[in-house]
Amino acid sequence: MSDEHYFSADPSVPFTREPVTCRVWGHDLDLVSGSGVFARGRLDAGTAVLLRETEPPVDARRVLDLGCGWGVIGLAIARAVPEADVTGVDVNERALLLARENAATLGVADRYRAVTPADVPADATYDEVWSNPPIRIGKQALHELLLTWLPRLAPGGRAVMVVGKNLGGDSLQRWLGEQGWPTERVASAKGFRVLETRRAGD
């Protein structure tokens, strides 16, 4: 995608849509990705590991898909957990457009919304946060991102994330613990760590 990063707010590369079909937790998802958005035309390896190595959060009612891209994680949750309301958050307007289109296609637009961080109500809290976080924004920016959104977890809530081992998955796990966010590795596959973070004191 030239040298432009997928986390640009308004990618300048020409916009072309590309279909992606995947099966998650027993549901077939026919989705659309696009140029200027992370993992165009494919389910990226990290997200694939995350969804394969976990079970759907059947008890969650308010879920945040952090760095949602074109929406596959949050939309998979919305399909698998009919009682869940899912909010996808991203800075990439093109990704948000695709996520909304995908929600409409899957028939879950009433329970899935994709918005910029500024459009999330200040008092919103979540039972679970799911994410394939944008590691390549840099360590400091990633730490700020996580320390902004993890406090949105409700009491007893958890975050589920996938991070490449070679991109600092193990050091991120340690750092989260040092910040008061106890984090366990719940799965490891194909060079990725699936991490589960709990609210401190819960």
Side-chain angles (χ1 to χ4, degrees):
M1 150 184 24
S2 73
D3 59 356
E4 185 160 34
H5 293 297
Y6 57 82
F7 43 82
S8 298
D10 185 17
S12 59
V13 295
F15 190 13
T16 57
R17 290 172 169 81
E18 293 190 32
V20 179
T21 298
C22 52
R23 186 169 179 82
V24 182
W25 298 323
H27 298 274
D28 291 318
L29 306 180
D30 292 316
L31 306 172
V32 175
S33 66
S35 53
V37 177
F38 177 63
R40 179 187 67 186
R42 62 188 172 85
L43 182 64
D44 69 278
T47 298
V49 167
L50 174 67
L51 296 173
R52 187 173 61 247
E53 298 292 332
T54 59
E55 297 295 329
V58 294
D59 294 325
R61 296 298 175 263
R62 297 161 298 165
V63 178
L64 177 70
D65 179 1
L66 179 59
C68 65
W70 39 269
V72 61
I73 296 174
L75 291 169
I77 292 172
R79 279 295 303 273
V81 187
E83 300 84 4
D85 286 306
V86 183
T87 300
V89 172
D90 207 294
V91 298
N92 185 320
E93 293 285 358
R94 191 175 292 181
L96 297 175
L97 172 65
L98 290 167
R100 294 178 193 124
E101 291 179 358
N102 286 329
T105 298
L106 293 177
V108 297
D110 59 327
R111 296 185 294 105
Y112 179 97
R113 68 189 196 111
V115 297
T116 65
D119 290 325
V120 177
D123 59 349
T125 59
Y126 302 94
D127 301 316
E128 304 214 351
V129 174
W130 284 63
S131 186
N132 179 355
I135 299 297
R136 296 185 188 279
I137 61 176
K139 182 180 292 187
Q140 180 176 345
L142 175 67
H143 288 176
E144 291 174 359
L145 178 75
L146 295 177
L147 292 180
T148 295
W149 293 100
L150 288 176
R152 298 291 195 108
L153 283 170
R158 67 168 186 162
V160 183
M161 295 179 285
V162 62
V163 182
K165 180 179 184 295
N166 67 334
L167 294 176
D170 294 340
S171 61
L172 181 63
Q173 178 184 350
R174 288 192 299 272
W175 178 82
L176 285 167
E178 292 166 358
Q179 303 305 308
W181 295 97
T183 301
E184 297 181 8
R185 185 199 309 170
V186 294
S188 184
K190 297 186 181 298
F192 290 91
R193 308 302 202 201
V194 178
L195 305 178
E196 182 182 88
T197 301
R198 297 279 180 177
R199 264 191 58 147
D202 294 334

